Amino acid sequence: MHRLGSAAELANRLRTLPERREQRRAERDTAARLAAAEAALERSRLRRHWAYGIAASLGLGLIVSLLLFWEATQQRRAAQRALAMSEAVVEFLDRDLLRAADPLEAGGNRNVTVANVLDKASRSLRARFADQPEVSQRLAYTIARAYQSLGLGEQGRQLLLAELEAHKAADSPQLRRLRFLLADIDTEYDRYAESASLLDGLLADLRASHEEQGSLAFDVRLSRAWLDFELGYYEQSRVGFMAILEDLARWRPDDRETRMTAQWWMVDPLRELGRLEEADARLGEVLADYVGIYDANNARYLWARTSLGNLRISQRRFEEAEAVLLDVEQRIRSSLGDSHNIGLFATYFRGVLRLRQGRVAEALPFLEESYRLRKQYQGEGSHSTWLAANRLAQALSKLGQVERVGHVLDPAYESAVRNVGLDHPYSIRLASTRVQHLLLRGQVDTASEQLALALEHVDARLPALHVTRAELLYRQAQIRLSRGDIVGAREKWLASAAMLRELGEVPAAEMAERLAAEAANPAKDWLQKSTLLPV
């Protein structure tokens, strides 16, 4: 007879007594049905053939009973697995997470950070759950997401890679979630080829298993459309998001969160395509929805607000942009520190805002800090570092600090070409600024070669109407006037001005028109004055 070891065990047995009674009753019923069936089948050999029908009926009843018993057993086992999983997770939280902050424990630390706790958890995860892969995978996903939210995506990536390597021959819904999160982090950290491979593989697997209407399939499609944007395929990205919205309306009309995400992420492709009114309307709907869901300090809400700040800059609504970005920067830094992506973008956009207003000296500290932090936390190979380098180089050129420009601009350009190619919009923007820098150094021939290379690749990804195309026309005018071609310079400046006006960039268009008018008799310092095109 089992002796109860504690009052808690007694309480547990009393609580589960009805369940155990029902289980024993089901087992007795099944055994009785089995005996009756065997007896009936034995008698059937001595009776007329119609008795076989009775035996068959009893056999069918037995099968049904067995199926019901099997289902009950499976449910009981699932409940037991869930309980075991919960107990394992509770023990993990207690031993590996909470005790990390206890100064009385070995290795405890009263000043522990969230990152410290995650580091400790990730180190012990695999060993503790070696025989419970489902628990290990779920916790790996949660910890990696936490790393990503803290701006520590590389640590999360390493954890995911280790977990996927340990189960590389297996497939399950949870492992697919790990692959998806790894792709998301790879996109964020500019590992575009790896991300594309993961996302395309996941989509193929989901379609093969007829799960294209599930939530994971839509998450993967969202990330793939965003990756197209990062790769500079703006129209392809917009089309991808529109297809997602159409399929959501057909298959998942109540999935508000995915619909709002698609609307929000479509804003940047629309902005690059010059469709600012549509971008404004979609982002306005998203923010109106998020206000009722998220706290003002929520990271997702602050990301959307950062998108609003950038859109307001494109719309030349500078005062609104400054108010939004300042609020975001202060909130994110007080809660998540200097290294988080949201704060870094807010700082960068505040510098861009001042640069576009012609407040170059005021823009410089923001752009210098943004560039420094981008290099520190994301490295030279990040597209965010390239963008910060490009704007910083523009500011330095305008301020006459030409010697500093090359140290910032050249590594960024070389990294962009190496990682995303000569035809990527990022590479072409950096090439345009490089042309300006070479002209200021008196290297007209080299500047002309650089511009020719950019023009050779401009049609691959950039839309026909885009501010970078207008900027390249502007650079052509500068080179032509540097060589004494007044007519050619005037023609290119006027073409640049026409495109800029169509894009709503009126101050930049007026500047190009003024330079065209003065081309026949340019001021001695015309090149320095024409350095910064405020777009």
Side-chain angles (χ1 to χ4, degrees), residues 34-143:
L34 180 59
E38 289 174 345
L41 288 171
E42 178 63 23
R43 289 193 299 272
S44 71
R45 291 187 298 174
L46 305 174
R47 296 181 179 177
R48 292 187 296 271
H49 291 293
W50 57 264
Y52 284 110
I54 298 174
S57 297
L58 287 169
L60 181 60
L62 172 63
I63 291 170
V64 171
S65 296
L66 287 173
L67 287 172
L68 290 172
F69 176 66
W70 179 84
E71 183 179 355
T73 302
Q74 291 297 105
Q75 290 175 351
R76 187 176 70 255
R77 288 174 178 171
Q80 289 170 344
R81 285 198 302 270
L83 178 60
M85 184 184 298
S86 299
E87 290 174 344
V89 171
V90 168
E91 183 180 12
F92 177 70
L93 291 172
D94 178 50
R95 290 192 178 184
D96 295 277
L97 298 185
L98 299 180
R99 293 190 187 186
D102 187 347
L104 298 179
E105 292 288 331
N109 178 6
R110 68 184 300 171
N111 296 316
V112 69
T113 65
V114 175
N116 296 147
V117 173
L118 294 175
D119 290 343
K120 181 174 176 60
S122 61
R123 286 194 297 269
S124 62
L125 183 62
R126 289 280 316 289
R128 183 172 292 280
F129 298 108
D131 59 342
Q132 293 176 284
E134 186 177 355
V135 179
S136 179
Q137 292 160 22
R138 286 179 180 274
L139 287 171
Y141 181 88
T142 300
I143 294 170

Side-chain angles (χ1 to χ4, degrees), residues 28 58 60 79 84 104 118 126 133 149 229 231 274 284 319 321 380 383 388 399 432 445 451 483 501 510:
R28 286 195 299 270
L58 287 169
L60 181 60
L104 298 179
L118 294 175
R126 289 280 316 289
S149 296
F229 170 76
L231 290 171
E319 290 185 6
E380 292 277 7
H383 79 274
L399 294 171
S432 174
D445 290 341
L451 181 59
R483 288 177 165 165
R501 282 194 178 278
E510 291 174 345

Side-chain angles (χ1 to χ4, degrees), residues 94-316:
D94 178 50
R95 290 192 178 184
D96 295 277
L97 298 185
L98 299 180
R99 293 190 187 186
D102 187 347
L104 298 179
E105 292 288 331
N109 178 6
R110 68 184 300 171
N111 296 316
V112 69
T113 65
V114 175
N116 296 147
V117 173
L118 294 175
D119 290 343
K120 181 174 176 60
S122 61
R123 286 194 297 269
S124 62
L125 183 62
R126 289 280 316 289
R128 183 172 292 280
F129 298 108
D131 59 342
Q132 293 176 284
E134 186 177 355
V135 179
S136 179
Q137 292 160 22
R138 286 179 180 274
L139 287 171
Y141 181 88
T142 300
I143 294 170
R145 280 294 300 271
Y147 270 130
Q148 185 186 26
S149 296
L150 291 171
L152 302 171
E154 187 58 40
Q155 287 91 318
R157 183 175 188 271
Q158 293 306 315
L159 177 61
L160 293 170
L161 286 171
E163 195 68 29
L164 288 167
E165 177 64 24
H167 305 286
K168 59 184 177 182
D171 186 29
S172 70
Q174 190 58 43
L175 285 171
R176 289 181 178 182
R177 277 283 169 190
L178 294 183
R179 289 162 61 193
F180 168 68
L181 181 55
L182 178 60
D184 193 45
I185 293 174
D186 277 342
T187 298
E188 184 177 343
Y189 285 80
D190 303 296
R191 293 184 176 91
Y192 297 139
E194 293 92 330
S195 180
S197 177
L198 284 164
L199 293 172
D200 292 344
L202 270 171
L203 276 176
D205 290 347
L206 290 164
R207 285 168 178 156
S209 56
H210 306 290
E211 297 175 77
E212 62 268 28
Q213 296 182 24
S215 61
L216 179 58
F218 277 97
D219 286 345
V220 173
R221 289 175 63 188
L222 281 170
S223 290
R224 194 60 177 88
W226 179 255
L227 179 60
D228 285 336
F229 170 76
E230 293 281 14
L231 290 171
Y233 298 109
Y234 302 137
E235 178 60 19
Q236 185 173 313
S237 175
R238 185 195 70 82
V239 169
F241 286 124
M242 285 300 302
I244 290 169
L245 289 171
E246 290 167 4
D247 287 343
L248 281 170
R250 182 165 64 252
W251 294 333
R252 302 172 66 90
D254 297 327
D255 190 347
R256 187 195 69 234
E257 182 178 352
T258 304
R259 186 175 71 255
M260 289 298 104
T261 300
Q263 295 234 111
W264 169 22
W265 289 8
M266 204 197 307
V267 167
D268 277 333
L270 290 171
R271 182 178 51 77
E272 290 287 353
L273 292 166
R275 299 170 66 159
L276 300 185
E277 288 187 13
E278 183 181 351
D280 199 358
R282 291 190 181 278
L283 186 55
E285 184 179 348
V286 171
L287 287 168
D289 185 74
Y290 284 1
V291 164
I293 300 173
Y294 299 114
D295 178 80
N297 292 316
N298 178 271
R300 187 175 182 83
Y301 177 66
L302 290 174
W303 258 128
R305 295 266 294 162
T306 305
S307 297
L308 177 64
N310 189 26
L311 180 60
R312 290 291 179 260
I313 293 173
S314 297
Q315 295 170 314
R316 302 192 66 81

Side-chain angles (χ1 to χ4, degrees), residues 478-514:
Q478 288 178 308
I479 287 177
R480 293 194 178 191
L481 191 58
S482 295
R483 288 177 165 165
D485 182 0
I486 297 171
V487 174
R490 184 183 290 121
E491 175 191 336
K492 294 298 180 184
W493 266 320
L494 290 175
S496 176
M499 187 175 292
L500 289 166
R501 282 194 178 278
E502 192 171 353
L503 289 164
E505 297 287 351
V506 176
E510 291 174 345
M511 179 177 176
E513 289 164 350
R514 184 172 63 254

